[in-house]
Amino acid sequence: MKLSLVTSQNIAELNTECLVVGLFKDGTFTPSATTLDRVSNGGVKSWIESGDISGDLGCSALFPSFPGVVAKRVLFIGLGKKTNCRKSFAKVIQSVVEKTRNIKNVTLTALEWMETAQPEWMVQTVAQTSITTCSSVKNYKTQPSDGKKTESIHLVVEKKTKALTSALTKGSAIAKSVELAKELGDMPGNICTPKYLAEVAQKLGKAKGFDVTVYEEKAIKKLKMGGLLGVASGSINPPRVVIMEYHGGQKGEKPVALVGKGLTFDAGGISLKPAASMDEMKYDMSGAGSVIASMVAIASLKLPINVVAVVGCTENLPSGSAVKPGDILTTHSGKTVEVLNTDAEGRLVLVDLLSFVIDQFKPAEVIDTATLTGACVIALGNDISGLFCTDEKMASELLEASEKALDSAWRMPLNAQFTQMLESRFADLANIGGRAGGACTAAAFLKEFVGNTPWAHLDIAGTAWKSGKEKGSTGRPVPLLVNYLINKVN
Ligand code: BES
Ligand code: MN
Ligand code: ZN
């Protein structure tokens, strides 16, 4: 699908297969509704009176063209009450794109649909939302689903300014990366193995212009990543650590570090998970997937910033060689960990990556993202990611980016009491802290490995995946991460 900006003196004269016009519930007309009402000699007003069209949120009516209008069809879409709600705006865009799926080219007058909002934000959001809504998710069915598809969407703007064009580019880049993250998250564990993920990163690095280094098992052993190796020890598919470096900033400027959990399948290991829904644990690499995908967006947008990303890829399976409850692992940092539950494996992988990236690259700040705990899903549900952060400025900027990106997050606590719950009788730390505050003890565990480097952790266990009818990956938190980095340089 192609998205572009168009200008128009008179939308009634726009040549398009479908012109989409919004209607407010309070009866006030958008400029486009006013124009259509004028050319139809009061048609819009009378159709509202007769109940054929309505401004009620969710109501829509598709009209064939009528005299005075060049467009082949007009879709009237109810916007509800006038509002500044960003989420509702995106929802309306999504529903319009879904409703016009079988129409080849569609023209939106969406910049009129919010009470007040930055046009740049609206353009970026229309781009991001419409492209993600249009894209069909990949599957492995042998019978391809047919169907006409929207080929182009045009967005009416007053003037094609540089700022609006750049907003369109940003929204499109984010949408493409969301698609990539979704595709990776949906991939089954027998296809998306650690080796496969590393190869994907390598290919993307070549194509988009970031450096990729892949560490195989021998190199990982040399780095003494005992946590990651412990988790990987039960698998036949060997682990990978992938380092991606994007140099868009000044030479010598400290990079921002991104870290991702890349469990291509998490069966729980010896502390085996129950069978129900275990298939979904193929998305336990969503942290890594979203980090790889974010690098693609950052590089294609040529952001003037240095970013280093590290993802740790492995499976977590039970076998005769798997790590056992009670085993003690020595992590890359030198700290020892007693594994009380082999299903709390993500943190064992992450702490090796965190101390490694801090040692090696001296980043200005680190953000890790991981499908880390079921407890976070219980705490915040499936729409809000858990944000843990040691730095106030970083936290508020991440929350701001999350709000603008419509990729919600909520700040969670990192109090010392959670660290105390990780005390081990035999090692420096235990890898679990009991059921209470499970998302917080997991974050407190990670915190022990980041020293003084400003650090944020996003627990995306609930938000990276949708269960039920729309089962599949969401591509989150790509919008949050990319917007956060964009905001750093704008
Ligand atoms: N990958 C899971 C977390 C998870 C759970 C992600 C549900 C998505 C949906 C993680 O490795 C895990 O198993 N965590 C355990 C930790 C526990 C053993 C302390 C959990 O949350 O149950
Ligand atoms: Mn697990
Ligand atoms: Zn896991």
Side-chain angles (χ1 to χ4, degrees):
M1 197 274 289
K2 275 214 174 99
L3 186 70
S4 62
L5 303 179
V6 293
T7 56
S8 158
Q9 296 302 313
N10 180 357
I11 55 122
E13 286 168 6
L14 266 177
N15 188 1
T16 174
E17 302 237 318
C18 184
L19 177 67
V20 185
V21 172
L23 295 171
F24 287 118
K25 192 182 161 79
D26 68 1
T28 55
F29 275 14
T30 55
S32 298
T34 308
T35 304
L36 293 196
D37 191 54
R38 180 166 40 78
V39 299
S40 62
N41 297 319
V44 175
K45 217 170 275 156
S46 71
W47 296 326
I48 290 177
E49 275 161 18
S50 63
D52 291 312
I53 59 178
S54 150
D56 287 356
L57 188 63
C59 268
S60 70
L62 186 63
F63 276 46
S65 187
F66 44 86
V69 178
V70 173
K72 290 212 179 74
R73 301 171 191 83
V74 177
L75 177 71
F76 288 102
I77 183 90
L79 303 172
K81 276 193 234 140
K82 268 190 195 165
T83 158
N84 286 324
C85 177
R86 292 194 170 114
K87 276 221 159 123
S88 328
F89 177 74
K91 270 203 182 134
V92 171
I93 300 294
Q94 189 187 338
S95 87
V96 166
V97 173
E98 272 162 6
K99 285 186 166 84
T100 54
R101 255 225 165 109
N102 52 356
I103 302 177
K104 234 191 202 168
N105 85 72
V106 177
T107 304
L108 305 179
T109 56
L111 262 51
E112 305 171 347
W113 298 354
M114 272 175 97
E115 173 106 80
T116 52
Q118 262 196 328
E120 290 81 14
W121 178 86
M122 286 197 277
V123 171
Q124 187 180 322
T125 304
V126 170
Q128 191 188 312
T129 313
S130 61
I131 295 173
T132 18
T133 310
C134 263
S135 75
S136 44
V137 251
K138 199 181 141 117
N139 61 40
Y140 301 84
K141 295 180 198 281
T142 49
Q143 229 59 10
S145 60
D146 75 311
K148 291 186 207 159
K149 266 198 198 154
T150 304
E151 283 170 14
S152 59
I153 293 179
H154 307 282
L155 179 60
V156 180
V157 295
E158 238 169 68
K159 241 178 107 188
K160 282 194 224 177
T161 61
K162 244 192 176 162
L164 292 184
T165 310
S166 140
L168 185 93
T169 310
K170 285 173 196 157
S172 313
I174 291 170
K176 277 186 202 136
S177 285
V178 165
E179 267 175 54
L180 170 64
K182 274 189 183 178
E183 194 179 316
L184 292 173
D186 285 348
M187 275 191 176
N190 63 332
I191 296 175
C192 184
T193 58
K195 179 166 176 261
Y196 179 89
L197 258 188
E199 284 166 2
V200 166
Q202 263 168 333
K203 271 190 203 140
L204 290 167
K206 269 218 184 94
K208 304 289 172 181
F210 54 87
D211 303 332
V212 180
T213 316
V214 174
Y215 289 143
E216 300 194 2
E217 207 164 9
K218 223 169 123 192
I220 301 172
K221 277 190 182 139
K222 236 181 171 172
L223 288 172
K224 299 192 171 155
M225 293 191 169
L228 170 57
L229 289 167
V231 175
S233 64
S235 288
I236 288 170
N237 284 320
R240 294 284 188 273
V241 170
V242 185
I243 299 156
M244 294 158 274
E245 291 170 76
Y246 168 72
H247 308 278
Q250 302 283 331
K251 232 189 162 168
E253 190 183 284
K254 284 183 171 181
V256 174
L258 302 178
V259 170
K261 167 177 172 181
L263 266 286
T264 58
F265 192 74
D266 177 14
I270 296 294
S271 315
L272 191 63
K273 285 183 183 296
S277 303
M278 204 208 266
D279 64 295
E280 298 190 350
M281 278 303 121
K282 65 181 182 179
Y283 88 94
D284 210 21
M285 38 53 68
S286 296
S290 64
V291 163
I292 295 170
S294 297
M295 288 303 275
V296 171
I298 292 159
S300 37
L301 291 172
K302 299 198 166 46
L303 292 189
I305 185 177
N306 295 331
V307 183
V308 56
V310 186
V311 299
C313 310
T314 173
E315 303 170 331
N316 184 26
L317 299 179
S319 87
S321 58
V323 72
K324 304 171 291 299
D327 284 2
I328 292 177
L329 303 174
T330 303
T331 60
H332 170 268
S333 69
K335 283 197 170 97
T336 54
V337 178
E338 183 183 16
V339 180
L340 293 179
N341 188 321
T342 66
D343 197 12
E345 86 297 339
R347 61 198 79 182
L348 298 172
V349 172
L350 285 172
V351 297
D352 277 347
L353 305 178
L354 287 168
S355 63
F356 166 77
V357 81
I358 289 169
D359 272 9
Q360 193 82 9
F361 293 94
K362 313 268 180 292
E365 57 186 80
V366 188
I367 306 169
D368 78 69
T369 174
T371 46
L372 201 61
T373 66
C376 193
V377 192
I378 302 300
L380 297 175
N382 292 99
D383 190 46
I384 305 177
S385 305
L387 167 67
F388 298 83
C389 191
T390 55
D391 185 272
E392 294 311 305
K393 183 163 169 270
M394 222 180 142
S396 68
E397 286 174 8
L398 280 162
L399 288 174
E400 193 192 319
S402 109
E403 208 176 293
K404 291 213 171 133
L406 303 174
D407 191 352
S408 307
W410 192 264
R411 181 107 182 248
M412 300 278 281
L414 276 170
N415 305 20
Q417 79 214 44
F418 297 115
T419 320
Q420 283 159 20
M421 290 164 77
L422 295 163
E423 245 169 60
S424 157
R425 163 88 173 72
F426 298 106
D428 295 334
L429 285 163
N431 79 327
I432 54 169
R435 268 172 63 79
C440 306
T441 46
F445 183 89
L446 302 180
K447 182 169 171 270
E448 291 304 293
F449 297 80
V450 297
N452 294 323
T453 307
W455 159 75
H457 157 60
L458 286 163
D459 194 331
I460 56 164
T463 54
W465 180 264
K466 274 194 180 132
S467 301
K469 208 172 81 228
E470 291 172 90
K471 184 169 174 170
S473 284
T474 61
R476 292 175 64 180
V478 168
L480 194 172
L481 290 175
V482 179
N483 267 289
Y484 174 74
L485 294 170
I486 287 175
N487 291 347
K488 272 195 176 300
V489 295
N490 275 345

